[in-house]
Amino acid sequence: MGRSILTSGVVLALAAQFASAVLPRGVHKARVLKEPADLADSYDYVIVGGGTAGLTIADRLTEDEDTTVLVIEYGLLSDSESIKTVRGGFGGFGAPGALFPTRSVPQVNLGNRVIDVLAGKVVGGSSAVNAMMTIRGAKGDYDRWGQFFREDSEWSWEGILPYFKKALTFVPPNEDVAESSGIVYDTSFWGEGESGVYTSWPSFQYPGTSAQLEAWKEVPGVTFPPDSGSGETGVYWYPQFMDPKLVERSYARTGHYSNSDRENYHLVTNSKVIKIVVEDGTATGVSFRPADDPAGEVSTIKASKEVIVSAGAVHTPQVLQLSGIGPSALLEAAGIETIVDLPGVGQNFQDHPMLTARFTLRSLDVSPKESDLSRGGEFRTWADEVWAANRTGPYSIATGNLAAWLSYPVISARYDEIATRLEEQDHAAYLPEGTDSTVAAGYKAQMLSYAEALRANHTGFYNHAITASPSNGIIVDLHPLSRGTININPENPDAEPLVDYRALSNPLDAAIMADIIRFARSFYMDNAFNAQYDPVESQPGASVQTDEEMATYLARTLSPTEYHPAGTAAMLPKELGGVVDEDLRVYGVAGLRVADASIMPTLVGANTCQTVYAIAEKAADLIKGSVTTTNTNR
Ligand SMILES: Cc1cc2nc3c(=O)[nH]c(=O)nc-3n(C[C@H](O)[C@H](O)[C@H](O)COP(=O)(O)OP(=O)(O)OC[C@H]3O[C@@H](n4cnc5c(N)ncnc54)[C@H](O)[C@@H]3O)c2cc1C
Ligand SMILES: *[C@@H]1O[C@H](CO)[C@@H](O)[C@H](O)[C@H]1NC(C)=O
Ligand SMILES: *[C@@H]1O[C@H](CO)[C@@H](O)[C@H](O)[C@H]1NC(C)=O
């Protein structure tokens, strides 16, 4: 039996090789991929950015063969093995030219450190370079979005759940691995396989991962939801963006582009959109130039129905601002004529801060360990063998599959005090000087919503990825209070934008992060299960205790990014500094929508990719007009 499977696999592989030998290279993709000279003059829809959201929307819109779509992408198609490999999760970094070269402005509260701003510049966007963690976050994150508009908005947990189900095809784990490592999942939170983007499981788990699960059972208040998609906070197992058959990255390109040979779906690469053409208040087209040649020829393509901006949270505000849509003072300084004075464009920037902390359970024997792979020996030999033979074993693990996502009352006894301090702040004082009053009003609304969330269990604040080794993995603050900006550089608007995280600009962030570190400390150092393994703290270390000491430590060690930029074209009422309404339409311009991570008014308490896919699926339905909101805010 095993043999015949293997034989047919070999036959298939040979057939595939033969096919690629006889067909001219790339013929399958040629219908979709175009040179600028081969484009039509006009399409129904022009999409700016062939990333996570852009390709998802293009795929869904072209399901109707009478609808024509052009996607304009800055980067190239990359067949780099670094993108395909799941091993270790961060392979995409190694793909040549697949990331923008953007760096932040010096962070004044972080000792003027300059931070690398990572964002995908390749067909597939950031889904091509991300760490493949498939996370959905908690109900409160999605209910909050709609509540900025009205009580019964469709932007809610219940409203987005069908799109989560549509966005990914979930394939359950191997039963033996699930049983031996204690993986739980519940397919009722997933859909019927309507998507070419897969989320699935590695065929191996390190014993050290499950060992840590026991320690979490000791922590009062910690719950264990039945599935990563349940919308509950707690400690749970999660899958990874992986094609389970190929054991390769599954992403927007493989799921929403590669299998398409539709005549009505065009993609042009190496093309930087420099302007949305707006005529009499309506977006009518898009201008772009060769991405690698600032002096190259500018082409303009008409959009007869709509322009959709999906350039990601770092570049969507730049595209809007270059088009005269943004804060008028900034546009004026850059010498750009204001088409719509929209103060929120490029404001409200959020990302997940990563904290530095190191705790080790010195005598926990969890062999084999992750580190054994680099050491060689028997385990490494076995890993190499099973991977080469069947693509199974440790090399099928992306970044790990177990993590804690905890609400504030579970991690800190002073949750009510912190919430009260947040309510009583002069919120606007923590925004950049000259911030528009509507943007400040939106910020205040967000902080009041967070104050409520700090006292409840429907929103995660603490995130801790659990590794296979005896030391902790990444520890993250899921809801930073500080807000940054991403604006064009007035001196050189066409250059990479000025990214300012404004990390720690709201001083309560440091207090919350101090609680997060203290909770991690108590998890390792005071936990009855962990106590038997001789725990030690090497960072921040015993000398860092008070809020003040913690704040100093954070300024020195904090990363303001987990590569989850969001919020820079926020879906909020206009009087709250919003850029798009509940239908994702840009205020003040007809025929123009934004659909990508930039529309999140508040960052979700989760890695952002799954949410972006769901936003894009919902956007496609909104654009098709198959659903509408009862939005009166236009
Ligand atoms: C290193 C890294 C690790 C991550 N890890 C995870 C993870 O493990 N799990 C998770 O859930 N999330 C993760 N994320 C976040 C997640 O991948 C992103 O939130 C999501 O992919 C963003 O989708 P998007 O559609 O908003 O933007 P993108 O997917 O980035 O797409 C934007 C596209 O627009 C193009 N573009 C930009 N400007 C222009 C222009 N002027 N003209 C034409 N095209 C343009 C870009 O080249 C890009 O292809 C990670 C991100 C990074 C960078
Ligand atoms: C939140 O969870 C904690 C721990 O389980 C519990 O003590 C508390 O009552 C919960 N709070 C609310 C508002 O449900
Ligand atoms: C690969 O899979 C086949 C079929 O399940 C199995 O018989 C074989 O032992 C596997 N090879 C290795 C090296 O694990």
Side-chain angles (χ1 to χ4, degrees), residues 2 6 385-386 389-390 392:
L6 210 66
E385 259 173 37
V386 296
N390 294 327
T392 53

Side-chain angles (χ1 to χ4, degrees), residues 445-531:
Q446 292 177 34
M447 293 306 103
L448 296 181
S449 175
Y450 278 8
E452 192 253 335
L454 283 164
R455 297 188 177 98
N457 293 323
H458 56 57
T459 301
F461 279 82
Y462 176 94
N463 171 222
H464 181 163
I466 293 147
T467 64
S469 78
S471 359
N472 63 280
I474 296 170
I475 295 174
V476 173
D477 174 357
L478 293 171
H479 287 95
L481 310 175
S482 300
R483 293 292 178 266
T485 56
I486 301 186
N487 289 320
I488 47 173
N489 181 349
E491 309 293 311
N492 184 1
D494 186 51
E496 281 302 290
L498 300 178
V499 177
D500 189 353
Y501 293 95
R502 300 185 72 255
L504 301 178
S505 54
N506 185 321
L508 257 191
D509 264 341
I512 288 174
M513 292 181 208
D515 278 355
I516 287 174
I517 291 177
R518 286 188 191 108
F519 178 78
R521 174 182 277 161
S522 79
F523 172 73
Y524 283 97
M525 308 307 288
D526 312 329
N527 180 292
F529 181 84
N530 285 333

